[in-house]
């Protein structure tokens, strides 16, 4: 069954996936970039094409969301598996994003939007003012794959605004299928926060499996920001976008030390605090 790893873009989804990949897909917790291939993106061109479904028509492919999830669950009978998404949990053109028959649970990673804008601006090549405006509006992401044909396969993710994305996934709280994780806690208290994640997964499975402390410690050690930054410098990072000059945009650029509230212009902090006042108070 599917466990969703959900978030607005640049909120720590990749960090959580590195931890999960190292813990669940290795014997000792040694992270390698290729392990992320075990956690696919949804929706994605690769995933839909695997089942012979075209993504060329933006209005048509959401009709197949549930079908693709059913097929994935059929291939992974009696197993849990993770899917990453930046989509809001919402109906798209009258089609459900997911349902309780295909979803075991969701781990939602939320990040303070005041620091998110710096990473968001770097990733998508916006300035901070543009990034602030973008996260306040209904965002869609479009990924394309170049081919020799005139048509280019593409797929659109319906993200929504930062607030819409956050609120949409809370509906799963009603079914005890929801865990909220703050990016700041994941960074500053990695062990404690990741243990909460592992316990949530065990509860979803109704499992009494104990946590492998040695493996946990090694997982945290091999997925630190400095380790990931060095890894990207040495071998690149698959999820890094390419800019207009054909160069890869650094994915692991700032880190907690270089991206905090003190590095964000005061006028933009105040603007975000005004727009997302209710959410910031709710999230403390």
């Amino acid at each position: 069954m599917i466990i969703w790893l959900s978030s607005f873009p640049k909120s720590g989804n990749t960090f959580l996936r590195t931890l999960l990949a190292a813990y669940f897909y290795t014997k000792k917790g040694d992270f390698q970039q290729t392990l992320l291939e075990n956690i696919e993106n949804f929706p994605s061109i690769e995933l839909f094409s695997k089942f012979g479904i075209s993504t060329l028509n933006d209005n048509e492919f959401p009709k197949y969301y549930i079908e693709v999830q059913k097929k994935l669950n059929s291939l992974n009978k009696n197993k849990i598996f993770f899917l990453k998404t930046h989509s809001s949990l919402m109906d798209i053109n009258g089609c459900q994003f997911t349902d309780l028959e295909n979803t075991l649970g969701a781990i939602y990673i939320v990040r303070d939007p005041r620091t998110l804008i710096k990473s968001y601006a770097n990733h998508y090549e916006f300035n901070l003012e543009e990034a602030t405006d973008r996260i306040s509006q209904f965002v869609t992401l479009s990924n394309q794959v170049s081919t020799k044909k005139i048509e280019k396969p593409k797929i659109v993710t319906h993200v929504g605004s930062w607030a819409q994305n956050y609120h949409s996934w809370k509906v799963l709280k009603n079914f005890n299928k929801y865990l909220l994780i703050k990016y700041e806690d994941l960074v500053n208290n990695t062990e404690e926060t990741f243990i909460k994640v592992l316990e949530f997964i065990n509860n979803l499975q109704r499992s009494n499996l104990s946590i492998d402390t040695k493996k946990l410690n090694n997982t945290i050690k091999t997925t630190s920001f400095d380790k990931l930054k060095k890894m990207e410098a040495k071998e690149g990072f698959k999820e890094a976008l390419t800019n207009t000059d054909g160069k890869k945009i650094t994915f692991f650029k700032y880190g907690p030390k270089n991206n905090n509230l003190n590095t964000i212009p005061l006028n933009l902090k105040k603007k975000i605090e005004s727009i997302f006042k209710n959410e910031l108070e709710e999230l403390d």
Side-chain angles (χ1 to χ4, degrees):
M1 286 280 282
I2 300 167
I3 296 179
W4 296 98
L5 309 177
S6 318
S7 70
F8 192 84
K10 305 310 295 178
S11 296
N13 203 309
T14 299
F15 185 27
L16 179 58
R17 284 183 290 127
T18 61
L19 290 164
L20 289 168
Y23 190 84
F24 280 96
Y25 303 114
T26 69
K27 290 183 178 180
K28 297 181 179 180
D30 296 316
F31 178 74
Q32 297 177 23
Q33 187 175 170
T34 53
L35 293 170
L36 289 175
E37 295 172 6
N38 291 289
I39 305 176
E40 297 189 79
N41 187 38
F42 190 98
S44 71
I45 298 165
E46 295 81 5
L47 195 52
F48 276 55
S49 61
K50 183 187 297 185
F51 299 112
I53 297 171
S54 171
T55 61
L56 290 174
N57 189 320
D58 293 348
N59 295 317
E60 289 293 319
F61 77 86
K63 295 179 181 178
Y64 300 99
Y65 277 3
I66 300 296
E67 181 181 331
V68 170
Q69 291 169 35
K70 284 181 179 178
K71 290 179 182 295
L72 286 170
N73 276 320
S74 178
L75 290 173
N76 295 275
K77 284 184 178 179
N78 302 319
K79 293 181 182 178
I80 66 156
F81 61 101
F82 306 102
L83 287 180
K84 165 203 169 182
T85 191
H86 289 315
S87 178
S88 289
L89 183 54
M90 57 182 286
D91 288 357
I92 301 160
N93 300 327
C95 305
Q96 285 182 291
F97 177 79
T98 189
D99 57 25
L100 295 178
E101 292 182 9
N102 289 287
T103 292
L104 185 63
I107 301 165
Y108 190 86
I109 312 101
V110 68
R111 181 178 184 177
D112 189 329
R114 294 168 294 184
T115 59
L116 181 146
I117 58 168
K118 193 171 178 180
S119 294
Y120 192 88
N122 172 70
H123 190 64
Y124 295 109
E125 292 199 298
F126 295 129
N127 60 44
L128 290 179
E129 289 80 4
E130 290 172 326
T132 300
D133 289 337
R134 285 279 293 179
I135 72 168
S136 309
Q137 302 165 1
F138 193 99
V139 175
T140 58
L141 300 178
S142 179
N143 300 314
Q144 293 189 326
V145 175
S146 298
T147 66
K148 294 180 180 179
K149 300 178 181 178
I150 296 176
E151 293 181 324
K152 293 182 179 180
K154 66 176 182 175
I155 200 156
V156 174
T157 301
H158 297 80
V159 179
S161 70
W162 176 87
Q164 287 171 325
N165 196 283
Y166 161 64
H167 286 300
S168 70
W169 284 91
K170 290 195 295 183
V171 67
L172 290 176
K173 289 171 67 175
N174 300 327
F175 307 96
N176 296 317
K177 291 177 176 287
Y178 176 85
L179 177 67
L180 176 69
I181 292 296
K182 293 181 182 178
Y183 166 79
E184 293 76 16
D185 291 339
L186 195 62
V187 170
N188 297 321
N189 302 296
T190 306
E191 181 176 346
E192 179 184 342
T193 307
F194 190 52
I195 286 174
K196 288 181 182 178
V197 170
L198 296 177
E199 289 175 344
F200 174 70
I201 293 169
N202 273 347
N203 288 335
L204 288 176
Q205 298 182 94
R206 298 179 181 177
S207 168
N208 293 318
L209 288 176
S210 60
I211 294 172
D212 186 330
T213 304
K214 188 174 181 180
K215 189 176 186 181
L216 172 69
N217 291 336
N218 202 40
T219 292
I220 293 170
K221 180 181 176 181
T222 61
T223 57
S224 69
F225 180 82
D226 289 340
K227 289 274 189 182
L228 296 174
K229 189 174 179 66
K230 289 178 182 177
M231 175 201 71
E232 182 179 18
K234 183 178 180 180
E235 58 192 67
F237 189 64
K238 185 178 179 181
E239 296 180 22
L241 299 181
T242 303
N243 65 19
T244 52
D245 296 326
K247 296 181 180 178
K248 286 286 187 179
I249 301 168
T250 303
F251 193 93
F252 300 103
K253 184 172 183 178
Y254 295 116
K257 295 180 182 178
N258 299 309
N259 186 5
N260 54 62
L261 290 177
N262 295 325
T263 67
I264 309 302
L266 182 59
N267 66 312
L268 295 183
K269 281 198 292 185
K270 288 184 175 180
K271 183 175 182 178
I272 291 171
E273 287 165 1
S274 174
I275 295 170
F276 301 126
K277 180 177 182 296
N278 293 335
E279 289 78 19
L280 289 170
E281 288 180 352
E282 180 180 317
L283 289 161
D284 193 25

